[in-house]
Amino acid sequence: MKLHAFLRLIAGVMVLVSLFLTHYVHPNWVWFTVFIAANLIQSAFTKWCPMITILKKIGIEEE
């Protein structure tokens, strides 16, 4: 799997996990979903995503 596909997979899984936690554990977990969304929005404007930096460091190759 390439870098951007891996990134989309991680973002999707994190959103699902945060929604699961919001529903079954505590409503304040919704703020985790907000954090994920804010990170995706900032990366669209700045062209920098912390997760991409991490994935590159562990050796995931780009397209």
Side-chain angles (χ1 to χ4, degrees), residues 37-58:
N39 191 323
L40 290 169
I41 292 167
Q42 78 78 27
S43 70
F45 288 104
T46 64
K47 307 290 191 258
W48 178 76
C49 176
M51 185 54 71
I52 286 181
T53 304
I54 294 168
L55 291 173
K56 284 181 180 178
K57 285 186 180 185
I58 64 170

Side-chain angles (χ1 to χ4, degrees), residues 10-60:
I10 291 170
V13 168
M14 295 307 286
V15 167
L16 289 176
V17 166
S18 67
L19 291 174
F20 175 85
L21 290 170
T22 299
H23 185 74
Y24 291 105
V25 178
H26 195 277
N28 280 338
W29 277 101
V30 75
W31 292 107
F32 186 44
T33 312
V34 172
F35 169 76
I36 296 166
N39 191 323
L40 290 169
I41 292 167
Q42 78 78 27
S43 70
F45 288 104
T46 64
K47 307 290 191 258
W48 178 76
C49 176
M51 185 54 71
I52 286 181
T53 304
I54 294 168
L55 291 173
K56 284 181 180 178
K57 285 186 180 185
I58 64 170
I60 305 299

